[in-house]
Amino acid sequence: QVQLVQSGAEVKKPGASVKVSCKASGYTFTGYQLHWVRQAPGQGLEWMGWINPNSGGANYAEKFQGRVTMTRDTPITTAYMELSSLRSDDTAVYYCARGNLADWGQGTLVTVSS
Amino acid sequence: DIQMTQSPSSLSASVGDRVTITCRASQVIRNDLGWFQQKPGKAPKRLIYTASSLQSGVPSRFSGSGSGTEFTLTISSLQPEDFATYYCLQHNTYPWTFGQGTKVEIK
């Protein structure tokens, strides 16, 4: 069965960077886009962008352009989302999701606090 | 960006009630719309894809309809496990955008 397993919770200081991983299994990793979605505490869902695991090409929401980088390591079927210049309003649960968001990781809480 | 206007933002209903949630897109998105259910502390779960196709394993009391700009999620007979927050998502045009959510609470 399809599984997306994300890395553990992180606490970062403002201005730092965070890199969240998403280990995929149960399907052909290079066959589906991998998206990232975040959810601030008590708020709705926000789409951040996607990566094509086959080509490595990525498409980011304009809001995150210049601060986000999505990469992948195909041999270990793992995708990564790195967000830099963190601010307090980046505190959120970050999810990876496959294809048209049919399958989701369990989420990674990133807390930005001084 | 395409705006997804979801209504209502919350509703109170009883077990057995028929519940309808609506999403309106700010421009035509064909049928490139999904519906998701999220329970507290959990990842969202896709219920409906391409506006009206039921995700495998999802109970048949859930249904979706619509095309173009107006979409509806219907729960035909609300069950205790259906109390959650529901989101629509358009995946026609980047950036993908979600509705603001509908919280379904127990009356």
Side-chain angles (χ1 to χ4, degrees):
Chain A
Q1 75 284 18
V2 174
Q3 276 199 300
L4 298 170
V5 179
Q6 298 183 221
S7 48
E10 303 261 14
V11 179
K12 296 292 183 180
K13 294 193 182 301
S17 297
V18 68
K19 191 171 186 177
V20 179
S21 68
C22 174
K23 166 72 175 174
S25 62
Y27 71 98
T28 301
F29 180 65
T30 53
Y32 297 83
Q33 296 174 349
L34 205 295
H35 295 258
W36 291 89
V37 174
R38 77 177 186 179
Q39 186 171 39
Q43 302 301 307
L45 301 168
E46 182 176 32
W47 181 83
M48 299 180 68
W50 63 268
I51 183 169
N52 179 333
N54 188 40
S55 66
N59 180 326
Y60 307 134
E62 187 172 349
K63 174 178 180 175
F64 300 103
Q65 287 275 1
R67 284 208 303 141
V68 71
T69 305
M70 296 177 188
T71 57
R72 91 294 189 215
D73 187 336
T74 305
I76 61 169
T77 65
T78 299
Y80 303 92
M81 187 284 299
E82 184 170 21
L83 190 62
S84 62
S85 302
L86 289 168
R87 308 183 288 253
S88 58
D89 62 359
D90 290 317
T91 294
V93 176
Y94 289 78
Y95 295 101
C96 61
R98 181 183 77 124
N100 285 352
L101 311 192
D103 302 285
W104 294 64
Q106 83 276 20
T108 297
L109 175 62
V110 175
T111 303
V112 182
S113 173
S114 55
Chain B
D1 298 0
I2 296 176
Q3 307 303 315
M4 301 301 295
T5 303
Q6 191 174 332
S7 61
S9 55
S10 65
L11 65 89
S12 295
S14 300
V15 172
D17 284 354
R18 182 181 182 88
V19 168
T20 299
I21 300 167
T22 298
C23 252
R24 177 178 293 113
S26 60
Q27 61 192 72
V28 171
I29 60 169
R30 303 184 308 179
N31 66 344
D32 296 329
L33 183 114
W35 287 98
F36 296 80
Q37 177 193 66
Q38 187 179 33
K39 296 182 179 180
K42 299 295 187 183
K45 171 187 174 183
R46 192 171 75 170
L47 303 175
I48 301 287
Y49 62 97
T50 57
S52 59
S53 298
L54 190 67
Q55 183 74 31
S56 175
V58 173
S60 59
R61 62 181 180 272
F62 291 93
S63 64
S65 64
S67 184
T69 61
E70 295 276 341
F71 302 88
T72 299
L73 173 70
T74 300
I75 309 172
S76 60
S77 178
L78 198 65
Q79 297 302 301
E81 61 268 30
D82 301 337
F83 291 95
T85 301
Y86 294 84
Y87 296 92
C88 63
L89 164 78
Q90 71 80 17
H91 55 88
N92 176 268
T93 302
Y94 293 121
W96 289 6
T97 44
F98 290 91
Q100 71 271 35
T102 296
K103 187 172 185 179
V104 176
E105 298 176 303
I106 302 172
K107 182 183 281 185

